[in-house]
Amino acid sequence: MDSFDAGAGGILRQPKAVWATAGASVVAFMGIGLVDPILPSIAQGLNATPGQVSLLFTSYFLITAVAMLLTGFVSSRIGGRRTLLAGLAFVIVFAALAGTSNTVGQLVGFRAGWGLGNALFVSTALAVIVGAAAGGSAAAILLYESALGLGMACGPLLGAVLGNISWRYPFFGTATLMAVGFLCITAFLKEQPRPARKTSVLDPLKALGHGGLASAAVSAFFYNYTFFTVLAFTPFVLNMTPYRSGAVFFAWGVLLAVFSVIVAPRLQARFGSLKVLGGSLVLLAADVLVLGYGDHTTAVVCTILSGAFIGVNNTVYTELALGVSDAPRPVASAGYNFVRWFAAAAAPYFAPRIEEWTDIHVPFVVAAVTAALGALVVVVRRRALTHEAERLEPAHATEDGVTVFAN
């Protein structure tokens, strides 16, 4: 992959400001999977049901979805540095408060505040890194993608190690690490130039009036339901100790990172974005179906394997979302992510309830159907989605591919 090789040479030669922002990004992305290994422990510690504990994801991503309309509005007015610091401050406060929770309701509420802070931070971090980087954008983008992958892989490990002592410790640990990131950004990052045009809250919604962008968002909505069924519901199905669950999701995160950064662009260059995305969604649907009906070992293997398909999808979806319309990339990304994050909020809420209404297998059947629906949208709307996506170089895909999580 040419873009990977080009970036690899300059990835280590970056200013302190870039390293400070990238390091804080790792911790921010760790927060997504941090609670995975300790979900059963939280349920036990707070006498809560799986459905109640799963609201940790629902509140987090529901606020994140709404915040997508606000991040561009805020950063275009107060600047990237202040937006990063505001986001970090929210995360520090609410992560620490989460560790003091005495009821699941308190924990869910504090997690929502955490989601607001994370949205402000990660939606701004890529632009800041690219703006402050030396040696061109390729190295900066690769560094950011590496931070994403490292955070997604290490989040479950941190949750497992600290959570094995107490379910409260991962929250305190995150607050501490983010405080270090806050100090580093304060010390090393100078204010970035503000955009010439201020972003309106309604701009992302207006961008969704483009048929191609709306199609990408709807397909990604279905896909995200599948993704977060795996992330939020599977730990209860595996029912493992924090260490074992952390190891499973660490392996899952490693596959996600490798397939997102290295494999997906190679597949796109060979087969084209739409074929890769459609095939990956179908394979993900088959994987989660086997996960739901297999024995415990099969479920572990399928959980880890899903990271590969998720990594491919993450990169390709963002290429489609950001290349299919003529809206500015931050605006298109905000509108696209506004739609898809609602599925990330819905899946953790509905999956345990579907199990209560039916049995343990049906939530994965639903997840397989939603992945297939995502592929169906790609097939039916392929003309709208092909407008720009298929002519983009893989480097353009990876340039914003990280924002599938970041925004």
Side-chain angles (χ1 to χ4, degrees):
M1 183 175 67
D2 295 338
S3 59
F4 182 86
D5 295 336
I11 189 172
L12 298 179
R13 298 191 296 271
Q14 299 297 334
K16 292 179 180 178
V18 173
W19 286 114
T21 307
S25 298
V26 171
V27 182
F29 292 124
M30 286 170 65
I32 295 177
L34 177 81
V35 298
D36 258 29
I38 58 173
L39 287 175
S41 299
I42 294 174
Q44 183 179 2
L46 295 178
N47 296 316
T49 65
Q52 290 174 320
V53 173
S54 67
L55 292 176
L56 291 173
F57 285 97
T58 298
S59 63
Y60 182 87
F61 288 113
L62 186 61
I63 296 300
T64 298
V66 176
M68 285 301 105
L69 302 180
L70 303 175
T71 53
F73 176 88
V74 172
S75 64
S76 65
R77 284 162 174 79
I78 69 173
R81 181 176 182 271
R82 292 179 180 177
T83 304
L84 288 179
L85 293 175
L88 287 171
F90 272 105
V91 173
I92 292 166
V93 171
F94 284 103
L97 288 173
T100 68
S101 301
N102 293 317
T103 67
V104 70
Q106 290 177 349
L107 185 55
V108 169
F110 293 142
R111 181 76 168 164
W114 185 344
L116 174 60
N118 217 48
L120 289 171
F121 176 82
V122 299
S123 63
T124 311
L126 176 60
V128 169
I129 289 176
V130 171
S137 63
I141 292 160
L142 180 60
L143 180 63
Y144 189 81
E145 288 185 334
S146 301
L148 185 154
L150 184 61
M152 291 296 293
C154 291
L157 279 186
L158 178 66
V161 172
L162 296 180
N164 198 57
I165 304 171
S166 168
W167 66 264
R168 300 180 186 274
Y169 282 23
F171 299 108
F172 294 138
T174 299
T176 301
L177 290 173
M178 284 305 233
V180 173
F182 185 97
L183 294 175
C184 290
I185 288 177
T186 300
F188 299 120
L189 180 64
K190 297 179 180 179
E191 185 57 81
Q192 304 296 297
R194 299 181 190 181
R197 178 183 176 275
K198 294 180 179 179
T199 301
S200 164
V201 173
L202 296 180
D203 283 349
L205 296 178
K206 293 177 182 178
L208 289 170
H210 187 280
L213 182 61
S215 299
V218 170
S219 180
F221 175 90
F222 288 123
Y223 155 66
N224 260 36
Y225 186 95
T226 307
F227 174 10
F228 284 94
T229 297
V230 173
L231 192 63
F233 184 64
T234 302
F236 292 107
V237 176
L238 298 180
N239 194 26
M240 304 167 78
T241 65
Y243 277 130
R244 291 179 181 271
S245 183
V248 169
F249 279 96
F250 172 73
W252 169 87
V254 169
L255 278 185
L256 186 154
V258 169
F259 275 74
S260 177
V261 176
I262 300 175
V263 178
R266 292 180 181 274
L267 292 176
Q268 287 174 267
R270 183 175 179 85
F271 300 107
S273 296
L274 297 186
K275 289 181 180 179
V276 170
L277 181 59
S280 182
L281 286 168
V282 171
L283 290 174
L284 179 61
D287 180 79
V288 296
L289 196 61
V290 174
L291 192 164
Y293 281 93
D295 58 21
H296 189 268
T297 300
T298 301
V300 169
V301 172
C302 288
T303 299
I304 295 172
L305 183 60
S306 70
F309 307 126
I310 289 169
V312 170
N313 293 338
N314 288 344
T315 295
V316 181
Y317 263 119
T318 305
E319 176 186 347
L320 293 177
L322 302 185
V324 76
S325 74
D326 56 1
R329 284 182 171 181
V331 174
S333 177
Y336 158 75
N337 284 290
F338 171 73
V339 173
R340 74 183 188 91
W341 280 127
F342 279 107
Y349 176 82
F350 284 111
R353 283 158 182 78
I354 292 172
E355 180 197 8
E356 294 173 3
W357 301 332
T358 54
D359 59 48
I360 193 68
H361 308 296
V362 177
F364 294 100
V365 174
V366 175
V369 170
T370 54
L373 287 173
L376 181 62
V377 172
V378 171
V379 172
V380 172
R381 298 288 297 167
R382 62 187 178 276
R383 288 185 179 273
L385 292 170
T386 305
H387 174 60
E388 292 282 352
E390 291 298 340
R391 74 173 181 80
L392 290 179
E393 295 292 331
H396 288 101
T398 54
E399 178 172 343
D400 287 289
V402 294
T403 27
V404 73
F405 277 112
N407 289 351

